[in-house]
Amino acid sequence: MTHSFHIPVLGLAFSIDTPLKVAHYGISSVVSIVDDELIERMRQFHCQQAGISYTAINKKTPDCRALRITAYLDLIDELVAVRTNELKHQPFEAGTDIQRYFEWLPEHSKLKELYKSMLEEHDEEKKRQLQETLRMHIKPGSVDVNIMAKVDKLNFGNNGLPLDEKYTDALAALRGAANSKLQTSIVLSAGMNPRLYTYLGEFIDFMPDRDGKLKKRIILKVSDYRSALIQAKFLAKKGLWVSEFRIESGLNCGGHAFATEGFLLGPILEEFKTKKELLLGELAELYTKSIAALGKKSDSIPRTRFTVQGGIGTAEEHNFLIHYYQLDGTGWGSPFLLVPEATTVDDDTLNKLANADHEDFYVSGASPLGIPFNNFRKSAAEQQRIERIAIDRPGSPCTKKYLVSNTEFTNQPICTASRQYQNKKIKQLKAMGLPLDEYLRQLNKITEKTCLCEGLAASAYIKNHLLKAKENGAVAICPGPNLAWFNRTYTLEEMIGHIYGRKNLLEHVPQRPNLFINELNLYVQHIKKFVEDNCHSITDKKEQYVARFKAQLNEGIAYYEQLCNYANGITAIFSQNTMLHLEKAKLQFSAIQLKEDAICD
């Protein structure tokens, strides 16, 4: 990889065309392929921008979802190739993209060293030869795609009957990506989907060629070692190799928050570090047998990368994670929302993010999936949700139906953020005759759900002047809490320089706790909220969950205390205040008990 960081998927719209902005600089990024309507409109937009003929793929076209995704990814592949080729042929002069390509590389890069040698060379012929060598080494960043594995709605035909399962949302998205020309990676997130994982084996690009190489690769986004092992073994038994384990903090990230049962990032990374060879050995044995059973020959095992993302905020953290945990790279997501050169965020939302306080970022129950969701209080979508409640019109029109799942009141699933569902649920709630405080608590849980299908796509429409008449332009956005430390917009050069330690964009917050402490505090808040939400319905199972959760937090704190002693003087991320932060967190969660008289009023 050219760089030691990547830009993870950011909502639906915010990284929808990020590869077109950064790939020619060698920077890898991830595109969401959930929303094929957004994808189709962005394809039309970029075709027009590039002067390329555009032929629409209508909703009524058979397999339109997969065809739209294939067409968009093929367009990205074509445009990235054009921009990379243009960059390769530029002169090595100040202000050119080819100069930026090499200037922005990490200092330890061998390519960067070669570039510096070229700059220092005085012999013109040797300088020209070095320049040609550098041009030969220019490669675009990877254009990867993200599939939320469990967002896999069954679709129906015009006759009202269910279509074949290969037309479910996740399988159609996979087919669209698999049929594209991109030499891409499929990032599988949000849990295991056996049907989707099995379907991967039907595409030859995920299988090794005679040299053991893969045209398309699989990346698993995981939050713990056990989950990684289970999913990777399932795939290996089908002759599918995991080319990267993308380890993500359970709570200190953007988008949906998949909290562990108190397992913290540091101990999780330590387990991967300790068991990495064991993991790869076990997978290689299963993979080799499966490949042979399929009648294929592979003389080598593909390489596997290990990366981490979630809450990383400084060059010191970036470097420590890579070197101490023996990782191949890191992911920087939310900070890039403040980099207009890299992401697609409308001006109003961008300004609100740049001027936000810590209190504006919070974990909510807004997602119709029922999974904790990182939310932004100042977003237009959140303000619209509150305004609708105020005029007794809670809920949203449901047009795209990507997140429909509830059949409590209907035969076919509907979305819990929809006006249809919330009206029925509130009517049911009113008939229960609950005490006022309990009624209001449950009412808030119902109306807290918001439309993510429209909200997470709106920013691209606004930014590119594609919003249609009467179309909802209320933007939803899901940054991680780490974004609160960044307080303005940045150039791409500034953000890359910050990641590699060439500049410090957080000079204004010298007392920022490190990413481990920030995540620990989020987990303390998480278990406290769980207790508050469940103190009126206590069960043995819930009490056992709280006890296990607190025990894991204690083990995590003990691990960090040892790490502090070991790393003292090695890295700046463990300041003198780190031990104080650990002790404070321990006192906070030790007092939390799932007892009615402890929390509940």
Side-chain angles (χ1 to χ4, degrees):
M1 302 294 284
T2 304
H3 285 275
S4 56
F5 76 93
H6 64 268
I7 303 175
V9 66
L10 296 167
L12 299 181
F14 309 113
S15 62
I16 190 67
D17 53 2
T18 291
L20 297 179
K21 301 177 181 182
V22 305
H24 55 293
Y25 293 121
I27 300 168
S28 298
S29 59
V30 186
V31 174
S32 169
I33 52 174
V34 168
D35 188 346
D36 61 281
E37 177 66 24
L38 168 65
I39 283 170
E40 180 67 6
R41 287 164 68 176
M42 290 302 292
R43 182 171 72 91
Q44 180 181 14
F45 171 77
H46 283 295
C47 281
Q48 291 171 346
Q49 294 290 302
I52 296 173
S53 175
Y54 165 78
T55 302
I57 299 173
N58 192 280
K59 278 186 176 182
K60 294 182 180 180
T61 303
D63 206 20
C64 71
R65 177 173 172 81
L67 292 173
R68 285 174 163 185
I69 291 168
T70 299
Y72 184 61
L73 296 181
D74 283 349
L75 176 66
I76 290 179
D77 184 55
E78 179 183 347
L79 293 178
V80 167
V82 168
R83 293 175 191 187
T84 305
N85 189 56
E86 289 174 350
L87 181 150
K88 282 184 178 182
H89 290 87
Q90 290 177 351
F92 281 86
E93 296 175 355
T96 60
D97 282 340
I98 195 169
Q99 182 234 34
R100 293 186 185 95
Y101 184 99
F102 292 104
E103 290 285 347
W104 291 355
L105 292 173
E107 298 305 314
H108 58 78
S109 164
K110 291 182 179 179
L111 206 54
K112 182 69 168 280
E113 293 174 4
L114 186 64
Y115 171 71
K116 289 181 177 179
S117 298
M118 182 275 294
L119 293 178
E120 295 167 0
E121 181 58 62
H122 296 292
D123 184 293
E124 288 303 315
E125 178 56 25
K126 289 183 179 179
K127 194 181 191 76
R128 186 193 65 77
Q129 291 176 356
L130 285 171
Q131 288 179 351
E132 290 309 305
T133 301
L134 288 169
R135 293 183 200 279
M136 290 172 56
H137 282 87
I138 291 173
K139 294 181 180 179
S142 179
V143 180
D144 299 326
V145 299
N146 186 83
I147 296 177
M148 290 187 68
K150 291 189 176 179
V151 179
D152 195 18
K153 171 175 58 71
L154 180 67
N155 289 303
F156 293 80
N158 295 330
N159 58 6
L161 297 176
L163 296 172
D164 187 275
E165 68 174 24
K166 73 176 183 179
Y167 295 106
T168 64
D169 278 0
L171 270 66
L174 172 60
R175 184 165 57 257
N179 289 334
S180 73
K181 295 182 292 186
L182 270 177
Q183 292 193 26
T184 183
S185 293
I186 307 295
V187 183
L188 300 170
S189 65
M192 183 171 169
N193 179 341
R195 179 172 62 189
L196 176 67
Y197 285 19
T198 300
Y199 192 48
L200 280 161
E202 295 190 20
F203 299 95
I204 193 170
D205 283 2
F206 293 104
M207 295 291 179
D209 61 18
R210 290 182 179 179
D211 298 321
K213 295 181 180 179
L214 302 167
K215 184 176 180 181
K216 288 185 171 68
R217 297 164 298 280
I218 298 169
I219 295 175
L220 285 183
K221 190 192 293 186
V222 295
S223 56
D224 62 77
Y225 179 85
R226 181 175 176 273
S227 172
L229 178 62
I230 291 171
Q231 294 183 68
K233 285 175 68 174
F234 184 95
L235 291 165
K237 289 176 182 177
K238 299 184 180 300
L240 298 164
W241 186 255
V242 175
S243 295
E244 181 179 334
F245 291 97
R246 194 158 283 183
I247 307 156
E248 184 174 64
S249 166
L251 287 178
N252 199 11
C253 57
H256 286 89
F258 296 89
T260 65
E261 288 194 359
F263 293 96
L264 300 175
L265 184 61
I268 290 168
L269 291 174
E270 188 71 44
E271 186 172 14
F272 272 96
K273 175 183 174 181
T274 304
K275 298 180 179 178
K276 182 187 299 184
E277 297 306 318
L278 180 66
L279 169 68
L280 295 178
E282 188 172 351
L283 295 178
E285 184 178 352
L286 292 171
Y287 175 76
T288 302
K289 290 179 180 178
S290 301
I291 289 295
L294 291 168
K296 295 181 177 293
K297 184 178 179 181
S298 178
D299 296 328
S300 62
I301 300 296
R303 181 173 179 264
T304 296
R305 303 178 75 246
F306 292 81
T307 62
V308 64
Q309 59 194 43
I312 306 167
T314 67
E316 289 82 6
E317 291 174 355
H318 169 82
N319 291 327
F320 177 78
L321 290 167
I322 289 175
H323 294 113
Y324 182 77
Y325 292 110
Q326 300 169 14
L327 300 171
D328 297 286
T330 67
W332 287 65
S334 296
F336 275 97
L337 291 171
L338 294 175
V339 182
E341 291 172 75
T343 53
T344 301
V345 184
D346 63 284
D347 293 343
D348 178 63
T349 304
L350 186 65
N351 182 61
K352 289 175 179 176
L353 289 175
N355 293 284
D357 297 321
H358 285 271
E359 292 74 20
D360 295 322
F361 303 93
Y362 69 109
V363 178
S364 71
S367 173
L369 294 177
I371 300 167
F373 184 75
N374 282 283
N375 213 344
F376 181 53
R377 295 187 197 279
K378 292 181 178 178
S379 72
E382 181 62 9
Q383 298 305 310
Q384 183 185 73
R385 182 188 71 85
I386 293 170
E387 291 168 2
R388 285 173 170 171
I389 294 171
I391 61 172
D392 200 28
R393 291 275 290 168
S396 307
C398 188
T399 56
K400 294 184 176 178
K401 304 185 186 301
Y402 295 126
L403 302 182
V404 296
S405 62
N406 187 281
T407 55
E408 188 177 356
F409 303 107
T410 55
N411 291 325
Q412 289 194 13
I414 59 175
C415 180
T416 56
S418 69
R419 185 164 296 147
Q420 179 186 9
Y421 172 82
Q422 292 193 9
N423 284 341
K424 291 180 181 296
K425 192 66 178 174
I426 292 170
K427 184 178 179 180
Q428 181 190 70
L429 183 64
K430 287 179 178 178
M432 294 173 67
L434 297 171
L436 181 60
D437 58 342
E438 179 63 13
Y439 170 80
L440 293 175
R441 188 180 72 84
Q442 292 199 30
L443 178 66
N444 181 65
K445 288 180 69 174
I446 297 167
T447 58
E448 189 178 12
K449 300 288 184 285
T450 193
C451 177
L452 300 183
C453 298
E454 295 285 355
L456 290 177
S459 193
Y461 298 151
I462 296 170
K463 184 72 175 178
N464 297 310
H465 308 290
L466 302 177
L467 199 66
K468 296 178 181 178
K470 297 184 179 180
E471 192 167 35
N472 189 356
V475 174
I477 194 165
C478 48
N482 186 48
L483 189 61
W485 303 103
F486 296 84
N487 67 349
R488 62 177 176 85
T489 58
Y490 307 96
T491 65
L492 183 56
E493 182 175 7
E494 283 180 313
M495 188 57 69
I496 295 171
H498 175 73
I499 292 171
Y500 291 142
R502 293 192 281 263
K503 58 172 58 214
N504 182 8
L505 301 180
L506 299 184
E507 285 181 318
H508 60 287
V509 283
Q511 298 304 314
R512 173 186 174 273
N514 69 44
L515 81 161
F516 296 130
I517 298 298
N518 284 328
E519 187 201 46
L520 172 60
N521 289 333
L522 291 169
Y523 269 98
V524 172
Q525 294 169 22
H526 177 79
I527 192 60
K528 183 178 179 181
K529 187 176 187 304
F530 177 86
V531 169
E532 291 172 347
D533 290 344
N534 290 276
C535 59
H536 290 294
S537 56
I538 301 171
T539 63
D540 289 343
K541 186 176 180 180
K542 291 177 181 178
E543 287 183 328
Q544 291 168 7
Y545 169 80
V546 172
R548 286 197 309 273
F549 197 102
K550 291 171 64 176
Q552 290 299 338
L553 286 185
N554 267 320
E555 287 189 18
I557 286 178
Y559 170 83
Y560 287 143
E561 288 172 342
Q562 292 179 343
L563 191 59
C564 283
N565 293 327
Y566 170 81
N568 187 27
I570 298 176
T571 174
I573 75 169
F574 295 103
S575 66
Q576 293 180 345
N577 290 328
T578 301
M579 295 295 283
L580 294 176
H581 286 302
L582 291 172
E583 191 61 33
K584 182 179 178 181
K586 188 187 297 185
L587 289 172
Q588 285 180 332
F589 79 80
S590 63
I592 297 173
Q593 296 183 25
L594 187 56
K595 293 183 178 179
E596 192 163 346
D597 58 352
I599 297 289
C600 302
D601 295 327

